[in-house]
Each structure stands twice: as structure tokens, then as C-alpha cells.
Amino acid sequence: MLPVKHQFQTFEEYLSYDDGTEKLYELFNGELIEMPPESGTNVQIANRLFLIFAMIVGIDRVRGHGLELEVRGEPRNRYPDLTIIREEHIQQLAKRNTIRLSMLPPLLVIEVVSPGELQRDRDFIAKRGQYQDCGIPEYWIIDPENKTVLVLELTGNIYTEVGNFSGDEVILSPQFNQMNVKVSQLFDAVTQD
């Protein structure tokens, strides 16, 4: 990740910035940090879940990696690997694919952990705290290295563990109980480098 030379005083100032590319940036201490491309493994897992959730909630309510969430703290924004949005978000996101803090939070955010200790800390600690603070009702952390899915549910203002699922266990989702997916289905035929 390379910093891009721009200094932004506010999130609104950042939102009005357009460098004419499709690059994704996190806003960290007023500077843009370009996000690296996702690994093929992460994309495969997210794509599998995209298809599963599209059958449950409809394709328009499932958003991939390009959806931006405004969060408190640093960085000021995140790009989850997969997000299940509310019906009202469809219209709100028509011009810019950004869920602001002033909007209702999405229903579910899913992160697929990238290799490396720094990435693990980001998903398990930093993002967990930021998503919890935003009031996102459900957060999944998919760990390709250990082939597990940690499902967290917002209880009051704190995430509590619904379960840490692996193997042929069915993933239990508090909001999407009609889903019948085994953890192994997300990882079968997905190769690790």
C-alpha cells in the first residue's frame, strides 16, 4: 500500500475527490492509502457467498469489495469483502457506493482474512471494533488459513460469538437462518498459495 499525496481535512472533502481511476483508497490520518488487489482465494470465497446470499436476499442487496463503509477511527473507511445491505440502501447507493455513518448500517459485513499477521489483526481486532461501533448487526470473519468462519452478532453494543465453524458444520447466521451452507463448501477446490 502506497500513500497518495493528498491531504484531506474532512471525510466530505475526501468523498468529493476523484482521481479518474477505479482505485480504492483508505483515508488514514487525512492521506489516501491505495488498497492492494485481493488475492484470488479471497475473491473465490467472496464470490461463492455472493451467489448464496443473492439467492436469499436478491442480487441488488449483495455488494462485493467495492462497497465503502464510513467508520469512526483510523482509517475512516473500509471495503468489506462482502456486504448485505438493507432495501433502502439500494437507492441511497445509486450515485456513490458508500454507506455513511448517518445512514442505517448494513445488515451483515463479511471479511475474508488475507495472509499475514497484520491482516489477521486488521480483521479480528481493528475492523471488528469499527464495525461494532457502527452498529452492524452481524460480522463474519472467514479465515482461509484455518478454514473457519467466525460469526459475531451485535448484542447491545458488543459483538458476541455465535460460533466459530469449521469442516462440515453448517454456518449459523442469526439473521439469515434459511441459509444452509457448510464451511467446507466455501473452501472446497480453493487452493492456498
Side-chain angles (χ1 to χ4, degrees):
M1 293 185 276
L2 302 172
V4 176
K5 300 297 178 207
H6 278 85
Q7 192 66 32
F8 298 94
Q9 303 304 316
T10 66
F11 196 73
E12 285 69 26
E13 191 179 319
Y14 155 75
L15 288 175
S16 66
Y17 174 75
D18 182 1
D19 67 357
T21 72
E22 295 294 316
K23 294 178 182 177
L24 301 178
Y25 300 101
E26 284 186 344
L27 181 62
F28 193 84
N29 289 327
E31 292 186 7
L32 298 180
I33 308 293
E34 184 179 340
M35 299 302 300
E38 288 290 323
S39 73
T41 297
N42 288 23
V43 170
Q44 278 181 280
I45 293 168
N47 283 348
R48 289 174 183 192
L49 282 168
F50 187 102
L51 292 173
I52 291 164
F53 277 106
M55 299 297 288
I56 296 170
V57 300
I59 196 164
D60 292 339
R61 293 192 43 215
V62 185
R63 297 290 167 109
H65 183 64
L67 175 90
E68 179 180 40
L69 290 178
E70 179 184 12
V71 294
R72 291 177 190 86
E74 297 294 339
R76 299 279 315 273
N77 57 332
R78 296 289 189 178
Y79 296 93
D81 291 305
L82 196 71
T83 306
I84 308 304
I85 63 173
R86 298 170 188 269
E87 188 70 36
E88 60 264 32
H89 287 144
I90 296 169
Q91 190 63 35
Q92 292 171 329
L93 301 176
K95 290 188 177 159
R96 183 175 174 118
N97 204 24
T98 301
I99 295 180
R100 302 290 311 271
L101 288 169
S102 59
M103 299 163 71
L104 285 173
L107 296 175
L108 169 65
V109 167
I110 299 173
E111 293 286 0
V112 183
V113 181
S114 296
E117 199 59 37
L118 177 64
Q119 300 308 324
R120 295 184 73 71
D121 287 348
R122 283 168 52 104
D123 291 336
F124 282 96
I125 300 169
K127 290 180 185 178
R128 178 178 175 160
Q130 286 181 310
Y131 296 159
Q132 177 179 277
D133 182 60
C134 288
I136 298 170
E138 195 169 334
Y139 175 37
W140 293 14
I141 304 172
I142 300 177
D143 185 349
E145 186 178 312
N146 295 311
K147 297 189 176 183
T148 59
V149 177
L150 175 62
V151 176
L152 301 167
E153 178 182 28
L154 197 62
T155 307
N157 295 323
I158 304 288
Y159 277 136
T160 58
E161 188 173 310
V162 173
N164 196 12
F165 305 98
S166 62
D168 285 333
E169 292 179 314
V170 173
I171 302 167
L172 297 179
S173 167
Q175 296 181 92
F176 304 100
N177 55 10
Q178 68 273 47
M179 196 175 80
N180 188 22
V181 177
K182 294 178 182 178
V183 174
S184 57
Q185 291 175 266
L186 299 181
F187 299 109
D188 286 348
V190 174
T191 57
Q192 281 294 116
D193 292 341

